[in-house]
Amino acid sequence: MNTNITLRNYKLDSPTYIFYKNQHSNQSLSYVEEKLKLYSTLDKKTMSMSYALSLLDDFIDPSDPDVNIPNSTHSYQTAERIRKVRPNDYELQIVGLIHDIGKVLFKFGEPNYSVVGDTYVVGCQFPKSIVYYETLQDNPDFNNPQLNTKLGIYSEKCGLENLKISFGHDEYLYLVLKNNTNHFLPEKYWNIIRFHSLYPWHTGNSYREFMTSENEILLKEVLDFNQYDLYSKEDTDFILTPKIKEYYENLLQKFFPEELKW
Ligand code: FE
Ligand code: FE
């Protein structure tokens, strides 16, 4: 383990900057509504969770300044970090393993900015806690007086689950988990997945005005999960052994014994 690495260090005019400039100029309220409509139908593919994970073998996240390994490796690293600390918490281990599987969106031809990156709420004012905030000036909603207010189209304490979030792998896997009933992952974990990239909320302290008391619990759960997701990237000497693979193959069979609609 290398503990000298600085994570989430975002530089100007880096590939990461260009990525976010694209995300911020495209992901508006109407863009998100269109994507939700397109992917709620789950008629793109039928496949097992295990097969979906294998699809991440050749995907490297272009938005992440800390990761240049295939995303499937990052999935096993995150799960293994959790297993070390919580050997009997199979639910959280499986969440670690699958949390980024929504990135299969790139197989459906989605541009990177529709798949990865930190997310933010659309339909209300953009808080300054969003990474590369200045590039949001190119967002079609930025100068819309109805949307560019503190609450926008929402009301106070309406609940995080009722906000529209920029579309990507979080929301997509949430849709898959919610709309397939033939699996055994409890609902509480769908929400950890759904909000894991919402950095302006869980780390930037924004969007508090929309939170319910249940959302306070969710915030703790997301932050708890985030430490395993983020710091697994320091495990640069990680080797995926057949034994580790077999352990998670069994776990996947337990929670997701059947194929799912995607
Ligand atoms: Fe992620
Ligand atoms: Fe991740």
Side-chain angles (χ1 to χ4, degrees):
M1 191 194 300
N2 184 343
T3 47
N4 294 321
I5 302 174
T6 314
L7 296 169
R8 295 181 58 83
N9 185 3
Y10 293 104
K11 299 192 183 79
L12 271 178
D13 284 325
S14 61
T16 319
Y17 174 83
I18 295 157
F19 166 84
Y20 277 107
K21 201 172 158 57
N22 277 324
Q23 188 204 35
H24 292 166
S25 42
N26 283 285
Q27 291 250 8
S28 60
L29 177 60
S30 62
Y31 183 92
V32 170
E33 284 173 336
E34 210 177 284
K35 292 293 169 195
L36 287 175
K37 211 167 134 198
L38 177 63
Y39 286 103
S40 297
T41 51
L42 299 179
D43 54 1
K44 309 294 173 287
K45 209 172 161 63
T46 303
M47 60 182 164
S48 66
M49 195 57 95
S50 166
Y51 181 75
L53 178 62
S54 74
L55 291 179
L56 299 187
D57 282 349
D58 45 40
F59 183 66
I60 295 172
D61 188 337
S63 74
D64 193 325
D66 308 317
V67 172
N68 51 15
I69 50 162
N71 218 116
S72 56
T73 309
H74 163 67
S75 304
Y76 287 103
Q77 282 178 319
T78 306
E80 278 294 272
R81 275 237 164 188
I82 295 167
R83 177 151 77 122
K84 252 175 228 152
V85 188
R86 318 255 278 262
N88 300 316
D89 193 345
Y90 305 116
E91 274 92 2
L92 203 65
Q93 291 170 25
I94 204 83
V95 168
L97 188 70
I98 71 166
H99 75 281
D100 276 342
I101 287 185
K103 292 180 187 177
V104 297
L105 279 170
F106 82 96
K107 289 278 182 193
F108 305 144
E110 285 298 330
N112 289 333
Y113 60 76
S114 263
V115 182
V116 293
D118 293 3
T119 55
Y120 53 91
V121 180
V122 292
C124 65
Q125 202 170 63
F126 303 118
K128 298 226 163 61
S129 57
I130 299 175
V131 63
Y132 298 123
Y133 168 83
E134 65 282 7
T135 61
L136 281 158
Q137 283 173 15
D138 300 331
N139 190 292
D141 297 344
F142 192 84
N143 292 313
N144 182 327
Q146 264 102 56
L147 303 180
N148 196 1
T149 65
K150 186 92 182 151
L151 296 178
I153 60 168
Y154 310 106
S155 54
E156 216 167 304
K157 295 192 173 43
C158 64
L160 222 60
E161 56 284 358
N162 292 311
L163 303 175
K164 290 196 168 102
I165 317 284
S166 57
F167 189 77
H169 67 286
D170 297 46
E171 186 70 24
Y172 180 53
L173 184 57
Y174 169 76
L175 289 174
V176 170
L177 293 169
K178 184 181 149 202
N179 295 320
N180 281 281
T181 49
N182 56 346
H183 68 84
F184 299 101
L185 188 68
E187 189 171 345
K188 142 184 174 187
Y189 297 96
W190 313 348
N191 286 322
I192 297 179
I193 289 166
R194 188 182 195 184
F195 298 109
H196 79 269
S197 302
L198 193 54
Y199 270 85
W201 167 64
H202 65 62
T203 302
N205 222 17
S206 300
Y207 308 125
R208 292 298 184 264
E209 58 278 20
F210 300 123
M211 286 174 74
T212 58
S213 48
E214 288 94 64
N215 291 161
E216 299 289 345
I217 301 164
L218 178 62
L219 176 60
K220 286 199 182 83
E221 290 166 344
V222 170
L223 284 172
D224 174 54
F225 172 73
N226 184 253
Q227 54 175 326
Y228 303 110
D229 184 15
L230 181 61
Y231 293 107
S232 68
K233 295 163 189 175
E234 292 179 341
D235 297 340
T236 46
D237 48 3
F238 175 81
I239 296 163
L240 179 59
T241 63
K243 227 178 146 172
I244 295 175
K245 242 189 145 150
E246 196 196 321
Y247 175 83
Y248 289 106
E249 202 42 60
N250 287 331
L251 219 52
L252 281 167
Q253 275 309 315
K254 217 172 118 193
F255 284 95
F256 301 98
E258 292 175 18
E259 290 196 318
L260 306 169
K261 291 198 185 82
W262 297 76

PDB file of all heavy atoms in Angstrom, residues 99-100 103 169-170 196-197 229, ligand 1:
ATOM      1  N   HIS A  99     -20.436  -1.563  -7.565  1.00  0.00           N
ATOM      2  CA  HIS A  99     -20.867  -0.162  -7.550  1.00  0.00           C
ATOM      3  C   HIS A  99     -20.619   0.596  -8.858  1.00  0.00           C
ATOM      4  O   HIS A  99     -21.333   1.526  -9.178  1.00  0.00           O
ATOM      5  CB  HIS A  99     -20.225   0.600  -6.375  1.00  0.00           C
ATOM      6  CG  HIS A  99     -18.766   0.921  -6.577  1.00  0.00           C
ATOM      7  ND1 HIS A  99     -17.766  -0.005  -6.400  1.00  0.00           N
ATOM      8  CD2 HIS A  99     -18.144   2.074  -6.959  1.00  0.00           C
ATOM      9  CE1 HIS A  99     -16.595   0.562  -6.652  1.00  0.00           C
ATOM     10  NE2 HIS A  99     -16.798   1.819  -6.993  1.00  0.00           N
ATOM     11  N   ASP A 100     -19.623   0.178  -9.617  1.00  0.00           N
ATOM     12  CA  ASP A 100     -19.307   0.891 -10.862  1.00  0.00           C
ATOM     13  C   ASP A 100     -19.789   0.173 -12.120  1.00  0.00           C
ATOM     14  O   ASP A 100     -19.463   0.588 -13.238  1.00  0.00           O
ATOM     15  CB  ASP A 100     -17.788   1.104 -10.967  1.00  0.00           C
ATOM     16  CG  ASP A 100     -17.326   2.341 -10.193  1.00  0.00           C
ATOM     17  OD1 ASP A 100     -18.168   3.200  -9.877  1.00  0.00           O
ATOM     18  OD2 ASP A 100     -16.108   2.444  -9.927  1.00  0.00           O
ATOM     19  N   LYS A 103     -21.113   1.429 -15.512  1.00  0.00           N
ATOM     20  CA  LYS A 103     -20.231   1.921 -16.580  1.00  0.00           C
ATOM     21  C   LYS A 103     -20.353   1.096 -17.861  1.00  0.00           C
ATOM     22  O   LYS A 103     -19.783   1.460 -18.885  1.00  0.00           O
ATOM     23  CB  LYS A 103     -18.771   1.978 -16.095  1.00  0.00           C
ATOM     24  CG  LYS A 103     -18.576   3.061 -15.027  1.00  0.00           C
ATOM     25  CD  LYS A 103     -17.156   3.164 -14.514  1.00  0.00           C
ATOM     26  CE  LYS A 103     -17.088   4.147 -13.342  1.00  0.00           C
ATOM     27  NZ  LYS A 103     -15.761   4.257 -12.741  1.00  0.00           N
ATOM     28  N   HIS A 169     -23.193   6.330 -14.410  1.00  0.00           N
ATOM     29  CA  HIS A 169     -23.224   4.929 -13.973  1.00  0.00           C
ATOM     30  C   HIS A 169     -23.942   4.712 -12.648  1.00  0.00           C
ATOM     31  O   HIS A 169     -24.464   3.635 -12.401  1.00  0.00           O
ATOM     32  CB  HIS A 169     -21.811   4.340 -13.931  1.00  0.00           C
ATOM     33  CG  HIS A 169     -20.904   4.918 -12.887  1.00  0.00           C
ATOM     34  ND1 HIS A 169     -20.336   6.164 -12.992  1.00  0.00           N
ATOM     35  CD2 HIS A 169     -20.449   4.414 -11.716  1.00  0.00           C
ATOM     36  CE1 HIS A 169     -19.575   6.389 -11.931  1.00  0.00           C
ATOM     37  NE2 HIS A 169     -19.624   5.342 -11.133  1.00  0.00           N
ATOM     38  N   ASP A 170     -24.000   5.743 -11.784  1.00  0.00           N
ATOM     39  CA  ASP A 170     -24.711   5.604 -10.500  1.00  0.00           C
ATOM     40  C   ASP A 170     -26.196   5.365 -10.745  1.00  0.00           C
ATOM     41  O   ASP A 170     -26.778   4.396 -10.275  1.00  0.00           O
ATOM     42  CB  ASP A 170     -24.615   6.897  -9.663  1.00  0.00           C
ATOM     43  CG  ASP A 170     -23.207   7.270  -9.266  1.00  0.00           C
ATOM     44  OD1 ASP A 170     -22.328   7.226 -10.140  1.00  0.00           O
ATOM     45  OD2 ASP A 170     -22.994   7.613  -8.097  1.00  0.00           O
ATOM     46  N   HIS A 196     -23.179   7.598  -4.933  1.00  0.00           N
ATOM     47  CA  HIS A 196     -21.759   7.520  -4.560  1.00  0.00           C
ATOM     48  C   HIS A 196     -20.889   8.553  -5.289  1.00  0.00           C
ATOM     49  O   HIS A 196     -19.840   8.926  -4.800  1.00  0.00           O
ATOM     50  CB  HIS A 196     -21.200   6.087  -4.690  1.00  0.00           C
ATOM     51  CG  HIS A 196     -20.842   5.630  -6.061  1.00  0.00           C
ATOM     52  ND1 HIS A 196     -21.698   4.971  -6.905  1.00  0.00           N
ATOM     53  CD2 HIS A 196     -19.666   5.719  -6.755  1.00  0.00           C
ATOM     54  CE1 HIS A 196     -21.082   4.667  -8.031  1.00  0.00           C
ATOM     55  NE2 HIS A 196     -19.843   5.117  -7.974  1.00  0.00           N
ATOM     56  N   SER A 197     -21.322   9.032  -6.446  1.00  0.00           N
ATOM     57  CA  SER A 197     -20.527  10.047  -7.169  1.00  0.00           C
ATOM     58  C   SER A 197     -21.010  11.469  -6.915  1.00  0.00           C
ATOM     59  O   SER A 197     -20.507  12.404  -7.536  1.00  0.00           O
ATOM     60  CB  SER A 197     -20.567   9.788  -8.680  1.00  0.00           C
ATOM     61  OG  SER A 197     -20.089   8.507  -8.996  1.00  0.00           O
ATOM     62  N   ASP A 229     -14.050   2.972  -1.602  1.00  0.00           N
ATOM     63  CA  ASP A 229     -14.030   3.232  -3.042  1.00  0.00           C
ATOM     64  C   ASP A 229     -12.808   4.084  -3.395  1.00  0.00           C
ATOM     65  O   ASP A 229     -12.015   3.746  -4.275  1.00  0.00           O
ATOM     66  CB  ASP A 229     -15.334   3.950  -3.417  1.00  0.00           C
ATOM     67  CG  ASP A 229     -15.472   4.202  -4.916  1.00  0.00           C
ATOM     68  OD1 ASP A 229     -14.723   3.603  -5.701  1.00  0.00           O
ATOM     69  OD2 ASP A 229     -16.355   5.007  -5.287  1.00  0.00           O
TER      70      ASP A 229
HETATM   71 FE    FE B   1     -18.191   5.168  -9.420  1.00  0.00          FE
END
